[in-house]
Amino acid sequence: QVQLVESGGGVVQPGRSLRLSCAASGFIFSSYGLHWVRQAPGKGLEWVAVIRFDGTNEYYADSVKGRFTISRDNSKNTMDLQMNSLRAEDTGVYYCARDAYSGHPMDYWGQGTLVTVSS
Amino acid sequence: QSALTQPPSASGSPGQSVTISCTGSSSDVGAYNYVSWYQQHPGKAPKLIIYEVSKRPSGVPDRFSGSKSGNTASLTVSGLQAEDEADYYCSSYAGNLVVFGGGTKLTVL
């Protein structure tokens, strides 16, 4: 069965960095694009970034462009999100999700990892 | 990248139908037939229930249906059941990017 497991969340001070990881299993990892989606406490979903199945292209939401970097290692079935210059508004649960079909629907999601940016 | 517009809340009695709207622009909803809908129960990860405007993934009941007209997409839940009470989010492809709606809390009365 498809599984996505996020890790790396925690409490971090504003301006510092944090790296999230997503470990995948149960499918051919190198055939699928992957997304990061976040959800601030009590708020809605916000798309963060996507990386193509082969890692050749990545796209970001304006709110994180230039601060966050998405990457993947198809030999290890993992995807990362490097988050720099963190702000209080980056606080939330970060989900990794598998990209399916055309138009970026996300058919499998992890359980999420909580990032809290606070001094 | 402006968020799609959804009503904050919707409600219906068991057995009734309810429709949730999702309004975007000519750059996202109106430009592509790539609208998705997600159901999220409290404390859980979102679940894909509609993709490409009106297609349902395997295992999603046919009580859930989607449509689109111009810049507005809609999700209809027919024959409401207690377990349908959840938050619903629309999303749209926007040229390599993705934009979500603000979410609609569906209450089953």
Side-chain angles (χ1 to χ4, degrees):
Chain A
Q1 69 282 21
V2 174
Q3 275 199 313
L4 298 167
V5 179
E6 303 91 340
S7 62
V11 181
V12 61
Q13 293 179 327
R16 304 295 292 256
S17 298
L18 199 64
R19 191 176 185 92
L20 305 183
S21 291
C22 173
S25 60
F27 64 100
I28 302 174
F29 185 78
S30 57
S31 295
Y32 290 85
L34 293 164
H35 297 264
W36 286 100
V37 176
R38 67 185 181 185
Q39 186 168 34
K43 302 297 184 182
L45 301 174
E46 180 187 13
W47 177 77
V48 173
V50 63
I51 187 166
R52 270 175 54 100
F53 66 97
D54 56 3
T56 55
N57 287 99
E58 56 219 57
Y59 300 95
Y60 300 89
D62 287 345
S63 58
V64 306
K65 195 178 301 180
R67 300 187 300 123
F68 290 11
T69 302
I70 189 173
S71 61
R72 64 187 297 160
D73 186 337
N74 284 352
S75 68
K76 296 181 179 179
N77 287 7
T78 58
M79 173 180 67
D80 289 344
L81 184 68
Q82 177 66 41
M83 304 186 295
N84 298 332
S85 302
L86 283 163
R87 306 166 180 167
E89 54 264 37
D90 294 319
T91 293
V93 174
Y94 283 70
Y95 295 99
C96 66
R98 192 179 81 167
D99 184 274
Y101 322 116
S102 301
H104 293 329
M106 300 164 214
D107 61 348
Y108 286 93
W109 296 61
Q111 84 290 347
T113 187
L114 177 62
V115 173
T116 303
V117 183
S118 174
S119 55
Chain B
Q1 296 172 11
S2 298
L4 308 178
T5 300
Q6 297 180 235
S9 63
S11 62
S13 300
Q16 289 187 331
S17 294
V18 64
T19 297
I20 298 170
S21 63
C22 169
T23 301
S25 70
S26 57
S27 298
D28 38 62
V29 174
Y32 309 96
N33 287 323
Y34 290 141
V35 175
S36 302
W37 288 89
Y38 300 88
Q39 177 191 63
Q40 186 180 35
H41 287 107
K44 301 293 187 182
K47 173 188 175 183
L48 178 67
I49 57 173
I50 295 287
Y51 67 99
E52 291 180 20
V53 176
S54 59
K55 297 180 180 179
R56 279 176 288 106
S58 175
V60 174
D62 59 6
R63 302 185 295 103
F64 293 92
S65 62
S67 63
K68 191 190 87 166
S69 178
N71 296 340
T72 298
S74 298
L75 171 72
T76 296
V77 186
S78 305
L80 271 174
Q81 299 182 3
E83 58 263 36
D84 298 333
E85 184 160 297
D87 293 325
Y88 291 82
Y89 296 91
C90 62
S91 76
S92 177
Y93 179 76
N96 291 316
L97 310 179
V98 176
V99 60
F100 279 98
T104 297
K105 182 176 182 59
L106 174 60
T107 300
V108 180
L109 301 171

